Amino acid sequence: MTTDEITELLTEAYVDELETVMNYLTNAIVLDGVHAEEVKESLEADVQEELEHARMLGNRLKQLEQSPPGSAAFEASQSGLQPPEDTTDVQSVIEGVLEAEEDAIETYQSLHEAATEANDPVTEDVAVTILSDEEAHRTEFRGFQKEFPSD
C-alpha cells in the first residue's frame, strides 16, 4: 500500500464520519414515540463520538501533509440512514445505523490493513481506536434491533 491509498481511505472515512454526524443528529431530532427515546439518546451521544472520529482522521491527514476535504467534495452515500417519513419508524433508523456501522467497520479494517502494509503505525493506531468504537456502536444497535418492535 502507498501513502496515497492511505490518504484516500482516511479521506473517505473523514467524509463518512461527517455524514454520519448529520444523519445521527437529524434522526435524534425527528424520531417520535415512546420507543424512540432510548435510540434518540444513543444517537445524540454518538454524534460527539463520530465528530471526534472525524477530527482524528482530519488531523492524521494533516500530519500526512494532506488536507481534509470541505463540503464541496461531499457526496452523500448513506441512503439507509435518511430520516424516515414516519417519525415513529424507529426500526428503520436502527437498520440504517447498523448499515452505516458495518460500512465504517469495513473501512477501518481496510485502513488498518493498508497502514500495516505501509508500516504506518500511527495510522494503524487511529484505525484500531475508531474501529473499536464502531464495533461498540454496532453491538449497541444490534441490541436495539432485538428489543424494538419491527412494525
Side-chain angles (χ1 to χ4, degrees), residues 3 6-7 10 59-66 120 123:
T3 301
I6 290 171
T7 58
L10 286 166
N59 285 331
R60 186 63 187 139
L61 282 164
K62 178 72 173 171
Q63 292 164 353
L64 295 172
E65 298 182 359
Q66 300 294 314
D120 179 350
T123 302

Side-chain angles (χ1 to χ4, degrees), residues 46-108:
D46 288 348
V47 163
Q48 291 306 312
E49 198 166 294
E50 302 294 344
L51 190 55
E52 182 56 30
H53 294 165
R55 189 173 287 116
M56 291 171 65
L57 295 161
N59 285 331
R60 186 63 187 139
L61 282 164
K62 178 72 173 171
Q63 292 164 353
L64 295 172
E65 298 182 359
Q66 300 294 314
S67 179
S71 61
F74 175 76
E75 280 189 47
S77 64
Q78 294 177 345
S79 60
L81 198 50
Q82 297 306 300
E85 280 188 41
D86 174 0
T87 60
T88 64
D89 186 2
V90 179
Q91 192 67 27
S92 73
V93 172
I94 292 169
E95 290 168 10
V97 169
L98 287 170
E99 182 182 316
E101 294 299 344
E102 289 292 339
D103 289 346
I105 288 166
E106 185 177 304
T107 298
Y108 292 116

Side-chain angles (χ1 to χ4, degrees), residues 41 43-44 62 68 88 93 105 109 112 123 129 136 138 142:
E41 288 174 17
L43 289 170
E44 189 70 41
K62 178 72 173 171
T88 64
V93 172
I105 288 166
Q109 288 171 335
H112 179 264
T123 302
T129 298
R138 178 181 62 186
R142 280 180 175 166

Side-chain angles (χ1 to χ4, degrees), residues 26-46:
T26 299
N27 282 302
I29 292 168
V30 303
L31 283 178
D32 291 315
V34 292
H35 298 295
E37 289 308 310
E38 194 172 353
V39 170
K40 288 172 63 166
E41 288 174 17
S42 178
L43 289 170
E44 189 70 41
D46 288 348

